[in-house]
Amino acid sequence: MTSDDGRGADKVIKVLLAEDQGMVREALAALLGLEPDIEVVAQVGRGDEVLAAAREADVDVALLDIEMPGRTGIEAAAELRAALPAVKVVVLTTFGGPGHLRDAMESGARAFLVKDAPAAQLAAAVRKVLAGERVIDPALAAAALAEGANPLTDREREVLRAAAGGATNAELAAALHLSQGTVRNYLSSLLYTSPSQQDSTRTRKPSTT
């Protein structure tokens, strides 16, 4: 059985954390370690160490900084997709440009988040990518949408445009000829709501700053 934030009943998710700044890496590991169903089983500080560490630790999810020595997180994600396709990749960045988002998705990443996202949001993303979902920070998605070409599907872009005006899920469903459940799934994949906000019926306009 799985909860709304993707949490399974028994499975412990094995995570690899790749971040070249030691303090940031240790802080992320400590925060994720507070989650009962997530265990950071491997940590590396270089992109060219990711594949070997992921293989040795038999990880489920890899959290990759986008800028690392040896290889970028995007290059490491592409390596993982080729060699260990079952490993789900979450790219973390302080660089929120739409180009980075496109590159990350094309490399096989299932999630793209900024590093200062709340810990609960990061943990929820880990669970969701393991469940086969895609997770994109809404501000980054909005920026990609504004530039035109982006990795979102046509339907995701349509929902994002409609939601930007602050419509309720019911209003979005009626306007787009979708069920309210489908609308919630689209918005959840774009991180419009945190786990504590799942019962809210109104979406909030994403920041584009």
Coordinates of all heavy atoms in Angstrom, one line a residue, residues 10-111:
D10 N 6.5 -0.9 3.7 CA 7.7 -1.6 4.3 C 9.0 -1.3 3.6 O 10.0 -1.3 4.3 CB 7.4 -3.2 4.2 CG 6.2 -3.6 4.9 OD1 6.0 -3.2 6.1 OD2 5.3 -4.3 4.3
K11 N 9.0 -1.1 2.3 CA 10.3 -1.0 1.6 C 11.1 0.2 2.1 O 10.6 1.3 2.2 CB 10.0 -0.8 0.1 CG 11.3 -0.7 -0.7 CD 11.0 -0.6 -2.2 CE 12.2 -0.4 -3.0 NZ 13.3 -1.4 -2.8
V12 N 12.4 0.0 2.3 CA 13.4 1.1 2.6 C 14.0 1.4 1.3 O 14.6 0.6 0.6 CB 14.4 0.7 3.6 CG1 15.5 1.7 3.8 CG2 13.7 0.4 5.0
I13 N 14.0 2.7 0.9 CA 14.5 3.1 -0.4 C 16.0 3.5 -0.2 O 16.4 4.3 0.7 CB 13.8 4.4 -0.8 CG1 12.3 4.1 -1.0 CG2 14.3 4.9 -2.2 CD1 11.5 5.4 -1.2
K14 N 16.8 2.8 -1.0 CA 18.3 3.0 -0.9 C 18.7 4.1 -1.8 O 18.5 4.0 -3.0 CB 19.0 1.7 -1.2 CG 18.8 0.6 -0.2 CD 19.6 -0.6 -0.5 CE 19.2 -1.3 -1.7 NZ 19.9 -2.6 -2.0
V15 N 19.4 5.1 -1.2 CA 19.7 6.3 -2.0 C 21.2 6.6 -2.1 O 21.9 6.4 -1.1 CB 19.0 7.6 -1.3 CG1 19.5 8.9 -1.9 CG2 17.5 7.5 -1.4
L16 N 21.6 7.0 -3.2 CA 23.0 7.5 -3.4 C 22.9 9.0 -3.5 O 22.0 9.6 -4.2 CB 23.6 6.9 -4.7 CG 25.0 7.5 -5.1 CD1 25.8 6.4 -5.7 CD2 24.9 8.7 -6.1
L17 N 23.8 9.7 -2.8 CA 23.9 11.1 -2.8 C 25.2 11.6 -3.4 O 26.2 11.3 -2.9 CB 23.7 11.6 -1.4 CG 23.6 13.1 -1.1 CD1 22.5 13.7 -2.0 CD2 23.4 13.4 0.3
A18 N 25.1 12.3 -4.5 CA 26.3 12.8 -5.2 C 26.3 14.4 -5.1 O 25.5 15.0 -5.8 CB 26.4 12.4 -6.6
E19 N 27.2 14.9 -4.4 CA 27.3 16.4 -4.2 C 28.7 16.7 -3.8 O 29.3 16.1 -2.9 CB 26.3 16.8 -3.1 CG 26.6 18.1 -2.4 CD 26.4 19.3 -3.4 OE1 25.4 19.5 -3.9 OE2 27.4 20.1 -3.5
D20 N 29.3 17.7 -4.5 CA 30.8 17.9 -4.3 C 31.1 18.8 -3.1 O 32.2 18.8 -2.6 CB 31.4 18.6 -5.5 CG 30.8 19.9 -5.9 OD1 29.6 20.1 -5.7 OD2 31.5 20.8 -6.3
Q21 N 30.1 19.5 -2.6 CA 30.3 20.3 -1.4 C 29.9 19.4 -0.1 O 28.8 19.0 0.1 CB 29.4 21.5 -1.4 CG 29.7 22.5 -2.5 CD 28.8 23.7 -2.5 OE1 28.7 24.3 -1.5 NE2 28.3 24.1 -3.6
G22 N 31.0 19.1 0.6 CA 30.8 18.2 1.8 C 29.8 18.6 2.8 O 29.0 17.7 3.2
M23 N 29.7 19.9 3.1 CA 28.7 20.3 4.1 C 27.3 20.1 3.6 O 26.4 19.7 4.3 CB 29.0 21.7 4.5 CG 30.2 21.9 5.4 SD 30.5 23.7 5.9 CE 29.0 23.8 7.0
V24 N 27.1 20.5 2.3 CA 25.8 20.3 1.7 C 25.4 18.8 1.7 O 24.3 18.4 2.0 CB 25.7 20.9 0.3 CG1 24.4 20.7 -0.3 CG2 26.0 22.4 0.4
R25 N 26.3 18.0 1.2 CA 26.1 16.6 1.1 C 25.7 16.0 2.5 O 24.8 15.2 2.6 CB 27.3 15.9 0.6 CG 27.1 14.4 0.3 CD 28.3 13.8 -0.4 NE 29.5 13.7 0.4 CZ 30.6 14.5 0.1 NH1 30.6 15.3 -0.9 NH2 31.7 14.4 0.9
E26 N 26.5 16.3 3.5 CA 26.2 15.8 4.9 C 24.8 16.3 5.4 O 24.1 15.5 6.0 CB 27.3 16.2 5.8 CG 28.6 15.5 5.5 CD 29.8 16.1 6.3 OE1 29.5 16.9 7.3 OE2 30.9 15.7 6.1
A27 N 24.5 17.5 5.1 CA 23.2 18.1 5.5 C 22.0 17.3 4.9 O 21.1 17.0 5.5 CB 23.1 19.6 5.3
L28 N 22.2 17.1 3.5 CA 21.1 16.4 2.8 C 21.0 15.0 3.3 O 19.9 14.5 3.5 CB 21.4 16.4 1.3 CG 21.3 17.7 0.6 CD1 21.8 17.6 -0.8 CD2 19.8 18.2 0.6
A29 N 22.1 14.3 3.6 CA 22.1 13.0 4.1 C 21.4 12.9 5.5 O 20.7 12.0 5.7 CB 23.5 12.4 4.2
A30 N 21.7 13.9 6.3 CA 21.1 13.9 7.6 C 19.6 14.1 7.6 O 18.9 13.5 8.3 CB 21.8 15.0 8.5
L31 N 19.2 15.0 6.7 CA 17.7 15.3 6.5 C 17.0 14.0 6.0 O 16.0 13.7 6.5 CB 17.5 16.5 5.6 CG 17.9 17.8 6.2 CD1 17.9 18.9 5.1 CD2 17.0 18.2 7.4
L32 N 17.6 13.4 5.0 CA 16.9 12.2 4.4 C 17.0 11.1 5.4 O 16.1 10.2 5.4 CB 17.6 11.8 3.1 CG 17.4 12.8 1.9 CD1 18.3 12.4 0.8 CD2 15.9 12.7 1.5
G33 N 18.0 11.0 6.3 CA 18.1 10.0 7.2 C 17.0 10.0 8.3 O 16.8 9.0 9.0
L34 N 16.3 11.1 8.4 CA 15.2 11.3 9.4 C 14.0 10.6 8.9 O 13.0 10.3 9.6 CB 14.9 12.7 9.6 CG 16.1 13.6 10.3 CD1 15.6 15.0 10.4 CD2 16.4 13.0 11.7
E35 N 14.0 10.2 7.6 CA 12.8 9.6 7.0 C 12.9 8.1 7.3 O 13.9 7.4 7.0 CB 12.7 9.8 5.5 CG 12.7 11.3 5.1 CD 11.3 11.9 5.5 OE1 10.3 11.2 5.5 OE2 11.4 13.1 5.8
P36 N 11.8 7.5 7.8 CA 11.9 6.1 8.2 C 12.0 5.1 7.1 O 12.5 4.0 7.2 CB 10.5 5.8 9.0 CG 9.6 6.9 8.4 CD 10.5 8.1 8.2
D37 N 11.6 5.5 5.8 CA 11.7 4.6 4.7 C 12.8 5.0 3.7 O 12.8 4.4 2.6 CB 10.3 4.6 4.0 CG 9.9 6.0 3.5 OD1 10.4 7.0 4.1 OD2 9.1 6.1 2.5
I38 N 13.7 5.9 4.1 CA 14.8 6.3 3.2 C 16.1 6.1 3.9 O 16.3 6.5 5.0 CB 14.6 7.7 2.7 CG1 13.4 7.9 1.9 CG2 15.8 8.2 1.9 CD1 13.1 9.3 1.5
E39 N 17.1 5.5 3.2 CA 18.4 5.3 3.8 C 19.5 5.7 2.7 O 19.5 5.2 1.6 CB 18.7 3.8 4.2 CG 20.0 3.6 4.8 CD 20.3 2.1 5.1 OE1 19.4 1.3 4.8 OE2 21.4 1.8 5.6
V40 N 20.3 6.7 3.1 CA 21.4 7.0 2.2 C 22.5 6.0 2.4 O 23.2 6.0 3.5 CB 21.9 8.5 2.6 CG1 23.1 8.8 1.7 CG2 20.8 9.5 2.4
V41 N 22.7 5.2 1.4 CA 23.7 4.1 1.5 C 25.0 4.3 0.8 O 25.9 3.6 1.0 CB 23.1 2.8 0.9 CG1 21.8 2.4 1.7 CG2 22.7 3.0 -0.5
A42 N 25.1 5.4 0.1 CA 26.3 5.8 -0.6 C 26.4 7.3 -0.8 O 25.4 7.9 -1.1 CB 26.4 5.1 -2.0
Q43 N 27.6 7.8 -0.6 CA 27.8 9.3 -0.9 C 29.1 9.4 -1.7 O 30.1 8.8 -1.4 CB 28.0 10.0 0.4 CG 26.7 10.0 1.3 CD 26.9 10.8 2.6 OE1 27.4 12.0 2.5 NE2 26.5 10.3 3.7
V44 N 29.1 10.3 -2.7 CA 30.3 10.6 -3.5 C 30.3 12.1 -3.7 O 29.3 12.8 -3.6 CB 30.3 9.9 -4.8 CG1 30.3 8.3 -4.6 CG2 29.1 10.3 -5.7
G45 N 31.5 12.6 -4.0 CA 31.7 14.0 -4.2 C 32.1 14.3 -5.7 O 32.4 15.5 -6.0
R46 N 32.1 13.3 -6.5 CA 32.5 13.5 -7.9 C 31.5 12.8 -8.8 O 31.0 11.7 -8.5 CB 33.9 13.0 -8.2 CG 35.0 13.7 -7.5 CD 36.4 13.0 -7.8 NE 36.6 12.9 -9.2 CZ 37.3 13.9 -9.9 NH1 37.7 15.0 -9.3 NH2 37.5 13.7 -11.2
G47 N 31.3 13.4 -10.0 CA 30.4 12.8 -10.9 C 30.9 11.5 -11.5 O 30.1 10.6 -11.9
D48 N 32.2 11.4 -11.7 CA 32.7 10.2 -12.3 C 32.8 9.0 -11.3 O 33.3 7.9 -11.6 CB 34.1 10.4 -12.9 CG 35.1 11.1 -12.0 OD1 34.8 11.2 -10.8 OD2 36.2 11.4 -12.4
E49 N 32.3 9.2 -10.0 CA 32.3 8.2 -9.0 C 30.9 7.6 -8.9 O 30.6 6.6 -8.2 CB 32.7 8.7 -7.7 CG 34.2 9.1 -7.7 CD 34.6 9.8 -6.3 OE1 33.7 10.2 -5.6 OE2 35.8 9.9 -6.1
V50 N 29.9 8.2 -9.6 CA 28.5 7.9 -9.4 C 28.2 6.5 -9.8 O 27.6 5.7 -9.0 CB 27.6 8.9 -10.1 CG1 26.1 8.4 -10.2 CG2 27.6 10.2 -9.4
L51 N 28.5 6.1 -11.0 CA 28.1 4.8 -11.5 C 28.6 3.6 -10.7 O 27.9 2.7 -10.3 CB 28.6 4.7 -13.0 CG 28.3 3.3 -13.7 CD1 26.7 3.1 -13.7 CD2 28.8 3.3 -15.1
A52 N 29.9 3.7 -10.4 CA 30.5 2.6 -9.6 C 29.9 2.5 -8.2 O 29.6 1.4 -7.7 CB 32.0 2.8 -9.4
A53 N 29.6 3.7 -7.6 CA 29.0 3.7 -6.2 C 27.6 3.2 -6.3 O 27.1 2.4 -5.4 CB 29.0 5.1 -5.6
A54 N 26.8 3.5 -7.3 CA 25.5 3.1 -7.5 C 25.4 1.6 -7.7 O 24.5 0.9 -7.1 CB 24.8 3.8 -8.6
R55 N 26.3 1.1 -8.5 CA 26.3 -0.4 -8.7 C 26.7 -1.1 -7.5 O 26.1 -2.1 -7.1 CB 27.3 -0.7 -9.9 CG 27.4 -2.1 -10.2 CD 28.4 -2.4 -11.4 NE 27.8 -2.0 -12.6 CZ 28.3 -1.2 -13.5 NH1 29.4 -0.5 -13.2 NH2 27.7 -0.9 -14.7
E56 N 27.7 -0.7 -6.7 CA 28.2 -1.4 -5.5 C 27.2 -1.4 -4.4 O 27.0 -2.4 -3.8 CB 29.5 -0.7 -5.0 CG 30.1 -1.4 -3.8 CD 31.4 -0.7 -3.3 OE1 31.8 0.2 -4.0 OE2 31.9 -1.2 -2.3
A57 N 26.4 -0.3 -4.3 CA 25.5 -0.2 -3.2 C 24.1 -0.6 -3.6 O 23.2 -0.7 -2.8 CB 25.4 1.3 -2.7
D58 N 23.9 -1.0 -4.9 CA 22.6 -1.4 -5.4 C 21.5 -0.5 -5.0 O 20.5 -0.9 -4.4 CB 22.3 -2.8 -4.8 CG 21.1 -3.5 -5.5 OD1 20.8 -3.2 -6.6 OD2 20.5 -4.3 -4.8
V59 N 21.7 0.8 -5.4 CA 20.7 1.8 -5.0 C 19.4 1.8 -5.8 O 19.4 1.3 -6.9 CB 21.4 3.2 -5.0 CG1 22.6 3.2 -4.2 CG2 21.7 3.6 -6.5
D60 N 18.4 2.4 -5.2 CA 17.1 2.6 -5.9 C 17.0 3.9 -6.6 O 16.5 4.1 -7.7 CB 16.0 2.4 -4.9 CG 15.9 1.1 -4.2 OD1 15.9 0.1 -4.9 OD2 16.0 1.1 -3.0
V61 N 17.5 4.9 -5.9 CA 17.4 6.3 -6.4 C 18.8 7.0 -6.2 O 19.5 6.8 -5.2 CB 16.4 7.1 -5.6 CG1 16.3 8.6 -6.0 CG2 15.0 6.4 -5.7
A62 N 19.2 7.8 -7.2 CA 20.4 8.6 -7.1 C 20.0 10.1 -7.2 O 19.3 10.5 -8.1 CB 21.3 8.3 -8.3
L63 N 20.5 10.8 -6.1 CA 20.3 12.3 -6.1 C 21.6 12.9 -6.5 O 22.7 12.7 -5.9 CB 20.0 12.7 -4.7 CG 18.5 12.7 -4.2 CD1 18.0 11.3 -4.3 CD2 18.4 13.3 -2.9
L64 N 21.6 13.6 -7.6 CA 22.8 14.1 -8.3 C 22.8 15.7 -8.3 O 21.9 16.3 -8.9 CB 22.9 13.6 -9.7 CG 22.8 12.1 -9.9 CD1 22.9 11.7 -11.4 CD2 23.8 11.3 -9.0
D65 N 23.9 16.2 -7.8 CA 24.1 17.7 -8.0 C 24.4 17.9 -9.5 O 25.1 17.1 -10.1 CB 25.3 18.1 -7.1 CG 25.6 19.6 -7.3 OD1 24.7 20.4 -7.7 OD2 26.7 20.0 -7.0
I66 N 24.0 19.0 -10.0 CA 24.2 19.2 -11.5 C 25.6 19.6 -11.8 O 26.1 19.3 -12.9 CB 23.2 20.3 -12.0 CG1 22.9 20.1 -13.5 CG2 23.6 21.7 -11.6 CD1 21.8 21.0 -14.0
E67 N 26.3 20.2 -10.9 CA 27.7 20.7 -11.1 C 28.6 20.0 -10.2 O 28.6 20.2 -9.0 CB 27.8 22.2 -10.9 CG 27.1 23.0 -12.0 CD 27.7 22.9 -13.4 OE1 28.9 22.5 -13.5 OE2 27.0 23.3 -14.3
M68 N 29.4 19.0 -10.7 CA 30.4 18.3 -9.9 C 31.7 18.1 -10.8 O 31.6 18.1 -12.0 CB 29.9 16.9 -9.6 CG 28.7 16.9 -8.6 SD 28.2 15.2 -8.2 CE 27.4 14.7 -9.7
P69 N 32.8 17.9 -10.1 CA 34.1 17.6 -10.8 C 34.0 16.2 -11.4 O 33.2 15.4 -10.9 CB 35.1 17.7 -9.7 CG 34.4 17.5 -8.5 CD 33.1 18.1 -8.6
G70 N 34.8 16.0 -12.4 CA 34.8 14.6 -13.1 C 33.7 14.5 -14.1 O 34.0 14.2 -15.3
R71 N 32.5 14.6 -13.7 CA 31.3 14.6 -14.6 C 30.2 15.5 -14.0 O 30.1 15.5 -12.8 CB 30.8 13.2 -14.9 CG 31.5 12.4 -16.0 CD 30.8 11.1 -16.2 NE 31.6 10.3 -17.1 CZ 32.8 9.6 -16.7 NH1 33.2 9.7 -15.5 NH2 33.4 8.9 -17.6
T72 N 29.4 16.1 -14.9 CA 28.2 16.8 -14.4 C 27.2 15.8 -13.9 O 27.2 14.6 -14.3 CB 27.6 17.7 -15.4 OG1 27.1 16.9 -16.5 CG2 28.7 18.7 -16.0
G73 N 26.2 16.3 -13.2 CA 25.1 15.4 -12.8 C 24.3 14.9 -14.0 O 23.8 13.8 -14.0
I74 N 24.2 15.7 -15.0 CA 23.5 15.3 -16.2 C 24.2 14.2 -16.9 O 23.6 13.3 -17.4 CB 23.3 16.6 -17.1 CG1 22.3 17.5 -16.4 CG2 22.8 16.2 -18.5 CD1 22.1 18.9 -17.1
E75 N 25.6 14.3 -17.0 CA 26.4 13.3 -17.6 C 26.3 12.0 -16.8 O 26.2 10.9 -17.4 CB 27.8 13.7 -17.8 CG 28.0 14.8 -18.8 CD 29.4 15.5 -18.8 OE1 30.0 15.4 -17.7 OE2 29.8 16.1 -19.8
A76 N 26.3 12.1 -15.5 CA 26.2 11.0 -14.6 C 24.8 10.3 -14.8 O 24.7 9.1 -14.7 CB 26.5 11.3 -13.2
A77 N 23.8 11.1 -14.9 CA 22.5 10.6 -15.1 C 22.4 9.8 -16.4 O 21.7 8.7 -16.4 CB 21.4 11.7 -15.1
A78 N 23.0 10.3 -17.4 CA 23.0 9.5 -18.7 C 23.7 8.2 -18.6 O 23.3 7.2 -19.1 CB 23.6 10.4 -19.8
E79 N 24.8 8.2 -17.8 CA 25.6 7.0 -17.6 C 24.7 5.9 -16.8 O 24.7 4.7 -17.1 CB 26.8 7.2 -16.8 CG 28.0 7.7 -17.6 CD 29.3 7.6 -16.8 OE1 29.3 7.8 -15.6 OE2 30.3 7.4 -17.5
L80 N 24.0 6.4 -15.8 CA 23.1 5.5 -15.0 C 22.0 5.0 -15.9 O 21.7 3.8 -15.8 CB 22.5 6.3 -13.8 CG 23.5 6.6 -12.7 CD1 22.8 7.5 -11.7 CD2 24.0 5.3 -12.0
R81 N 21.4 5.8 -16.7 CA 20.4 5.3 -17.6 C 20.8 4.2 -18.5 O 20.1 3.2 -18.7 CB 19.8 6.4 -18.4 CG 18.7 6.0 -19.4 CD 18.1 7.2 -20.1 NE 19.0 7.8 -21.0 CZ 18.7 8.8 -21.8 NH1 17.5 9.3 -21.8 NH2 19.6 9.4 -22.6
A82 N 22.1 4.3 -19.0 CA 22.6 3.3 -19.9 C 23.0 2.0 -19.2 O 22.8 0.9 -19.7 CB 23.8 3.9 -20.7
A83 N 23.6 2.2 -18.0 CA 24.2 1.0 -17.3 C 23.3 0.4 -16.3 O 23.3 -0.8 -16.1 CB 25.5 1.4 -16.7
L84 N 22.5 1.3 -15.6 CA 21.6 0.8 -14.5 C 20.3 1.5 -14.7 O 19.9 2.3 -13.9 CB 22.2 1.2 -13.2 CG 23.6 0.6 -12.8 CD1 24.1 1.2 -11.5 CD2 23.5 -0.9 -12.7
P85 N 19.5 1.1 -15.7 CA 18.3 1.8 -16.0 C 17.2 1.7 -14.9 O 16.3 2.5 -14.9 CB 17.8 1.1 -17.3 CG 18.5 -0.3 -17.3 CD 19.8 0.0 -16.6
A86 N 17.3 0.8 -14.0 CA 16.3 0.7 -12.9 C 16.5 1.8 -11.9 O 15.6 2.0 -11.1 CB 16.4 -0.7 -12.3
V87 N 17.7 2.4 -11.8 CA 18.0 3.4 -10.9 C 17.3 4.7 -11.3 O 17.5 5.2 -12.4 CB 19.5 3.7 -10.7 CG1 19.7 4.9 -9.8 CG2 20.2 2.4 -10.2
K88 N 16.5 5.3 -10.4 CA 15.8 6.5 -10.7 C 16.7 7.7 -10.3 O 17.3 7.7 -9.2 CB 14.4 6.6 -10.0 CG 13.5 5.4 -10.2 CD 13.2 5.1 -11.6 CE 12.2 4.0 -11.7 NZ 12.0 3.6 -13.2
V89 N 16.7 8.8 -11.1 CA 17.6 9.9 -10.9 C 16.8 11.1 -10.6 O 15.8 11.5 -11.2 CB 18.5 10.1 -12.1 CG1 19.3 11.4 -12.0 CG2 19.4 8.9 -12.4
V90 N 17.2 11.8 -9.5 CA 16.8 13.1 -9.1 C 17.9 14.1 -9.2 O 19.0 13.9 -8.6 CB 16.2 13.2 -7.7 CG1 15.8 14.6 -7.2 CG2 15.1 12.2 -7.5
V91 N 17.8 15.1 -10.1 CA 18.8 16.1 -10.2 C 18.5 17.3 -9.3 O 17.4 17.9 -9.3 CB 18.9 16.6 -11.7 CG1 19.9 17.8 -11.8 CG2 19.5 15.4 -12.6
L92 N 19.5 17.7 -8.5 CA 19.4 18.9 -7.6 C 20.3 20.0 -8.2 O 21.4 19.7 -8.6 CB 19.9 18.5 -6.2 CG 19.1 17.4 -5.5 CD1 19.7 17.0 -4.2 CD2 17.6 17.7 -5.4
T93 N 19.8 21.2 -8.1 CA 20.6 22.3 -8.7 C 20.3 23.6 -8.0 O 19.3 23.8 -7.4 CB 20.2 22.5 -10.2 OG1 21.0 23.5 -10.8 CG2 18.7 22.8 -10.3
T94 N 21.3 24.5 -8.1 CA 21.1 25.9 -7.7 C 21.0 26.7 -9.0 O 20.7 27.9 -9.0 CB 22.3 26.5 -6.9 OG1 23.5 26.2 -7.7 CG2 22.5 25.8 -5.6
F95 N 21.2 26.0 -10.2 CA 21.0 26.6 -11.5 C 19.7 26.2 -12.0 O 19.5 25.1 -12.5 CB 22.2 26.2 -12.4 CG 23.5 26.4 -11.8 CD1 24.2 25.4 -11.2 CD2 24.1 27.7 -11.9 CE1 25.4 25.6 -10.6 CE2 25.4 27.9 -11.4 CZ 26.0 26.9 -10.7
G96 N 18.7 27.2 -12.0 CA 17.4 26.8 -12.4 C 17.0 27.1 -13.8 O 15.8 27.3 -14.0
G97 N 17.9 27.3 -14.7 CA 17.6 27.6 -16.0 C 16.8 26.6 -16.8 O 17.0 25.4 -16.6
P98 N 15.9 26.9 -17.7 CA 15.2 26.0 -18.5 C 16.1 25.0 -19.3 O 15.7 23.9 -19.5 CB 14.3 26.9 -19.4 CG 14.2 28.2 -18.7 CD 15.5 28.3 -18.0
G99 N 17.2 25.5 -19.7 CA 18.1 24.7 -20.4 C 18.6 23.5 -19.6 O 18.7 22.4 -20.1
H100 N 18.9 23.7 -18.3 CA 19.3 22.7 -17.4 C 18.2 21.7 -17.3 O 18.4 20.5 -17.2 CB 19.7 23.2 -16.1 CG 21.1 23.9 -16.1 ND1 21.2 25.2 -16.0 CD2 22.3 23.3 -16.1 CE1 22.5 25.5 -16.0 NE2 23.2 24.4 -16.1
L101 N 17.0 22.2 -17.2 CA 15.8 21.3 -17.0 C 15.7 20.4 -18.2 O 15.5 19.1 -18.1 CB 14.5 22.1 -16.8 CG 13.2 21.4 -16.8 CD1 13.2 20.3 -15.8 CD2 12.1 22.3 -16.6
R102 N 15.8 20.9 -19.4 CA 15.7 20.1 -20.6 C 16.8 19.1 -20.7 O 16.5 17.9 -21.0 CB 15.7 21.0 -21.9 CG 14.5 21.8 -22.1 CD 14.5 22.4 -23.5 NE 15.6 23.3 -23.7 CZ 15.6 24.6 -23.4 NH1 14.5 25.1 -22.9 NH2 16.6 25.4 -23.6
D103 N 18.0 19.5 -20.4 CA 19.1 18.6 -20.4 C 19.0 17.4 -19.4 O 19.3 16.3 -19.7 CB 20.4 19.3 -20.1 CG 20.8 20.3 -21.3 OD1 20.3 20.1 -22.4 OD2 21.7 21.1 -21.0
A104 N 18.5 17.8 -18.2 CA 18.3 16.8 -17.2 C 17.2 15.7 -17.6 O 17.5 14.5 -17.4 CB 17.9 17.4 -15.9
M105 N 16.1 16.2 -18.1 CA 15.1 15.3 -18.5 C 15.5 14.4 -19.7 O 15.3 13.2 -19.8 CB 13.8 16.0 -18.9 CG 13.1 16.7 -17.8 SD 12.6 15.6 -16.5 CE 13.5 16.3 -15.1
E106 N 16.3 15.0 -20.6 CA 16.8 14.2 -21.8 C 17.8 13.2 -21.4 O 18.0 12.2 -22.0 CB 17.4 15.2 -22.8 CG 16.3 16.0 -23.5 CD 16.9 17.1 -24.4 OE1 18.1 17.2 -24.5 OE2 16.1 17.8 -25.0
S107 N 18.5 13.4 -20.2 CA 19.5 12.5 -19.8 C 18.9 11.3 -19.0 O 19.6 10.3 -18.7 CB 20.5 13.2 -18.8 OG 19.9 13.5 -17.6
G108 N 17.6 11.4 -18.8 CA 16.9 10.3 -18.1 C 16.5 10.6 -16.7 O 16.0 9.7 -16.0
A109 N 16.8 11.8 -16.2 CA 16.4 12.2 -14.8 C 14.8 12.1 -14.7 O 14.1 12.5 -15.7 CB 16.9 13.5 -14.5
R110 N 14.3 11.7 -13.6 CA 12.9 11.7 -13.3 C 12.4 12.8 -12.5 O 11.2 13.1 -12.4 CB 12.5 10.4 -12.6 CG 12.8 9.1 -13.4 CD 12.0 9.1 -14.7 NE 10.6 9.1 -14.5 CZ 9.6 9.2 -15.4 NH1 10.0 9.4 -16.7 NH2 8.4 9.2 -15.2
A111 N 13.4 13.6 -11.9 CA 13.0 14.7 -11.1 C 14.0 15.8 -11.2 O 15.2 15.5 -11.4 CB 12.8 14.3 -9.6

